[in-house]
């Protein structure tokens, strides 16, 4: 099977709201495919349609070669789903949650306990196996949710914002796990609003905005789309708001703020550096640092979508459970 | 997978869902208390003055206990799971909608069986009621439990939040309790009301229990009652599956 996921003109309306607008793409077997976009772009809704959690309004899709509408139950046997918010039973222990997941996915009785024990050990939760999941931290719950998605050894994983809201250590652990799963041959479909995460993990990235795929390629090729622009990162002292004034300078096409630094997207670095120095002198500012940068995926995203990368840093609202997707 | 294997697989998965629900929701002390106290109070309030005979009391009260016991939890189980997100764990699993809802109903079914036993045995002993055919009584209880559980599933599939589910189940339970021949035998009710009663599953539950407590043989009425309860269970679950599917679109 060349393609693990095939999507053709998938569309979803919630009432009059068009959440996903005629989306088409393929995910190759063994690929890590990223679905990158701001909150409300249609990422989660697409994932929910592909995993059988909501019906498309129109269009078609196949997962593991099975039509998501006509052969939904069979398709689900090949899917491991990790939702953004833990959907484990708080009233049950970690052990019982995994056993129940194994039962639902038809793992043979002899295998269930063995796999549950292995999974809990792999995720560092074996010592807490008898504890109710309600007492777990967010990071522990996310790890257990992934363990539950792994229990039937699926070929295709759908991960919805897997590291959102997690501490650095848990995020790193999950990213490493995604890499390991992929090295083991699994196909990964990942939604994220972290541009760096998509850049680190994905072999191909689809950028989705307002329900439409606006770009689809590997991260390096997406970055190449902004190579005609160069970036100068500058920091002034005292740090003040100069974004609009810098935008007015010659050869500067766009300015964005990153922490205490300002990024200037310019056509010619050698022309602009003296202009910046002159600007600082006139404003009686000290240039703390000035660097030239290679375009990042974030820059590509900003150019392609016309959105500021800062909108991606905004955390999501709590997920709406029934009906509508959140991303 | 062969068709017969698929059926077995679906049944087994429904059982696992039921087992999980029993553990998470049903077999907890407060649920038993509510399932028993509400119908007992209701029944005592209306039956003491009514000079009802013991078999009427036992059959009516047992049916009410099953109705209130199963629906009180079943009606909120899916709503709660939709709110906490755990319902999506079931929806994402390779389980058909009908199997999923059947599993939910089976949990309520077992809870109804236990509740009915808890009320029926001591009540029969205390009231001196002789049960003509315990096996037929058991079958009537089993079908009643499945039907009321399916009713709870339908309410839970429809409701968006817990208060709505509770309001809806009360809207169905209380009129049913008064119109289904629980307190007043059908033959003593005005003819229009006795026609209405024939559309209510509780009517068949009360009648099946009453018949099997008084008659050791399988009567035509008893068979019709069991058939009606089986039909109600199936239809309610099919409607629940459709409603839920619509709700989740």
């Amino acid at each position: 099977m060349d393609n693990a996921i095939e999507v053709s003109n998938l569309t979803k309306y919630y009432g009059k709201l068009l959440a996903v607008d005629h989306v088409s793409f393929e995910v190759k077997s063994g690929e890590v495919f990223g679905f990158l976009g701001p909150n409300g772009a249609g990422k989660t809704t697409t994932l929910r349609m592909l995993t059988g959690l909501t019906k498309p309004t129109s269009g078609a899709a196949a997962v593991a070669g099975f039509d998501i509408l006509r052969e939904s139950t069979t398709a689900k046997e090949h899917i491991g789903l990790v939702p953004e918010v833990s959907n484990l039973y708080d009233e049950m222990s970690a052990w019982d949650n995994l056993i129940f997941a194994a039962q639902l996915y038809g793992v043979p009785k002899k295998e269930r306990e063995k796999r549950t024990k292995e999974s809990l050990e792999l995720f560092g939760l074996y010592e807490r196996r008898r504890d109710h999941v309600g007492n777990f931290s967010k990071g522990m719950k996310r790890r257990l949710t992934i363990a539950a998605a792994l229990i039937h050894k699926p070929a295709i994983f759908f991960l919805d914002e897997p590291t959102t809201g997690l501490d650095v250590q848990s995020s790193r652990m999950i990213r490493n796990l995604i890499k390991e799963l992929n090295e083991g041959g699994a196909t990964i479909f990942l939604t994220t609003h972290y541009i760096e995460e998509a850049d680190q993990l994905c072999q191909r990235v689809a950028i989705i905005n307002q329900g439409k795929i606006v770009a689809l390629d590997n991260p390096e090729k997406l970055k190449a789309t902004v190579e005609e622009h160069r970036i100068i990162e500058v920091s002034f002292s005292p740090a003040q708001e100069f974004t609009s004034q810098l935008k007015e300078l010659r050869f500067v096409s766009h300015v964005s703020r990153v922490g205490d630094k300002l990024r200037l997207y310019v056509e010619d670095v050698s022309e602009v550096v003296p202009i910046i120095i002159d600007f600082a002198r006139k404003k009686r500012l000290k240039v703390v640092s000035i660097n030239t940068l290679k375009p990042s995926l974030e820059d590509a995203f900003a150019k392609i979508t016309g959105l500021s990368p800062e909108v991606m840093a905004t955390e999501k609202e709590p997920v709406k459970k029934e009906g509508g997707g959140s991303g | 997978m062969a068709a017969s294997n698929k059926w077995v697989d679906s049944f087994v998965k429904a059982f696992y869902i039921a087992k999980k629900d029993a553990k998470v929701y049903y077999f907890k002390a407060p649920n038993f208390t509510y399932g028993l106290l509400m119908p007992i109070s209701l029944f005592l309030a209306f039956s003491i003055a009514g000079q009802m005979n013991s078999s009427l009391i036992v059959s009516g009260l047992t049916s009410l206990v099953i109705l209130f016991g199963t629906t009180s939890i079943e009606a909120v189980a899916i709503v709660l799971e939709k709110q906490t997100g755990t319902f999506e764990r079931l929806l994402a699993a390779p389980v058909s909608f009908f199997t999923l809802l059947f599993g939910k109903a089976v949990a309520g079914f077992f809870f109804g069986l236990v509740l009915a036993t808890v009320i029926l045995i001591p009540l029969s002993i205390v009231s001196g009621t002789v049960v003509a055919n315990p096996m037929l009584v058991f079958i009537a209880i089993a079908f009643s439990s499945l039907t009321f559980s399916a009713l709870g599933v339908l309410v839970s599939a429809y409701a968006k939040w817990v208060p709505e589910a509770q309001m809806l189940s009360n809207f169905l339970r209380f009129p049913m309790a008064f119109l289904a021949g629980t307190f007043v035998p059908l033959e003593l009710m005005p003819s229009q009301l006795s026609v209405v009663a024939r559309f209510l599953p509780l009517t068949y539950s009360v009648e099946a229990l009453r018949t099997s407590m008084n008659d050791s043989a399988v009567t035509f009425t008893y068979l019709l009652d069991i058939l009606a309860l089986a039909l109600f269970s199936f239809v309610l679950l099919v409607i629940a599956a459709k409603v839920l599917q619509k709700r989740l679109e």
Side-chain angles (χ1 to χ4, degrees), chain A residues 48 76 87 104 322, chain B residues 13 16 82 88-89 91:
Chain A
R48 288 172 64 82
K76 286 173 184 174
N87 61 2
L104 277 182
E322 195 185 79
Chain B
K13 285 178 180 172
Y16 288 136
K82 280 193 281 189
E88 294 210 336
R89 175 155 293 282
L91 290 175

Side-chain angles (χ1 to χ4, degrees), chain B residues 8-247:
Chain B
V8 172
D9 184 59
S10 296
F11 195 79
V12 169
K13 285 178 180 172
F15 174 75
Y16 288 136
I17 293 169
K19 200 171 138 193
K20 182 272 298 171
D21 269 15
K23 196 183 249 180
V24 174
Y25 303 115
Y26 284 91
F27 289 91
K28 291 178 176 171
N31 296 335
F32 281 93
T33 318
Y34 181 80
L36 293 171
L37 278 185
M38 172 63 101
I40 288 173
S41 325
L42 200 68
F43 206 86
L44 286 177
F46 286 90
S47 63
I48 288 170
Q51 295 181 335
M52 295 166 73
N53 69 40
S54 63
S55 90
L56 280 179
I57 290 177
V58 175
S59 60
L61 188 52
T62 305
S63 288
L64 276 186
V65 163
I66 302 169
L67 173 68
F68 276 81
T70 53
T71 51
S72 60
I73 303 157
E74 196 70 72
V76 295
I78 296 174
V79 186
L80 275 173
E81 290 200 358
K82 280 193 281 189
Q83 284 176 351
T84 57
T86 50
F87 196 64
E88 294 210 336
R89 175 155 293 282
L90 303 177
L91 290 175
V95 178
S96 75
F97 243 69
F98 190 84
T99 303
L100 196 168
L101 295 185
F102 181 66
K104 293 263 164 207
V106 168
F109 162 79
F110 280 114
F111 187 65
L113 277 187
V114 173
L115 270 184
T117 311
V118 167
I119 193 80
L120 184 65
I121 295 172
L123 197 65
S124 302
I125 295 167
V126 170
S127 65
T129 310
V130 179
V131 174
N133 190 330
M135 182 49 75
L136 294 184
V137 170
F138 178 79
I139 293 168
I141 287 172
F143 276 91
S144 303
S145 297
L146 189 62
T147 307
F148 300 143
S149 200
L151 182 69
V153 169
L154 175 59
V155 169
S156 208
Y158 180 80
K160 282 184 180 161
W161 52 85
V162 173
E164 186 187 7
Q166 287 168 331
M167 189 269 291
L168 260 175
S169 48
N170 281 337
F171 181 77
L172 293 169
R173 286 185 303 203
F174 282 97
M176 212 173 356
F178 292 103
L179 292 171
T182 323
F183 304 109
V184 182
L186 285 188
E187 48 275 20
L188 301 179
M189 285 167 71
S191 59
Q192 295 95 329
L193 286 184
S194 62
V195 171
V196 173
R198 284 294 158 201
F199 291 94
L200 307 173
L202 184 62
T203 306
Y204 301 95
S205 169
V206 173
E207 196 171 69
L209 274 169
R210 211 162 273 170
T211 312
S212 53
M213 288 177 81
N214 292 329
D215 205 329
S216 62
V218 179
T219 63
F220 184 65
T221 308
Y222 178 84
L223 276 179
L224 275 183
D225 290 333
I226 296 299
L227 190 68
L229 288 171
L231 201 65
F232 266 115
S233 306
F234 182 73
V235 170
L236 287 168
L237 281 180
V238 169
I239 298 171
K242 297 271 178 209
V243 166
L244 194 59
Q245 228 154 7
K246 195 80 190 154
R247 280 272 191 236

Side-chain angles (χ1 to χ4, degrees), chain A residues 127-155:
Chain A
E127 296 304 314
R128 303 284 305 269
R129 66 191 181 281
R130 297 286 168 217
D131 292 356
H132 280 192
V133 171
N135 299 325
F136 281 13
S137 70
K138 195 172 178 180
M140 288 164 76
K141 279 186 182 179
R142 187 68 55 89
R143 271 143 56 195
L144 192 63
T145 311
I146 297 175
L150 285 170
I151 202 90
H152 60 294
K153 299 186 174 170

Side-chain angles (χ1 to χ4, degrees), chain A residues 104-115:
Chain A
L104 277 182
Y105 282 87
V107 176
K109 196 174 181 182
K110 283 180 187 168
E111 278 282 300
R112 271 178 224 149
E113 295 206 354
K114 186 172 159 268
R115 287 196 200 175

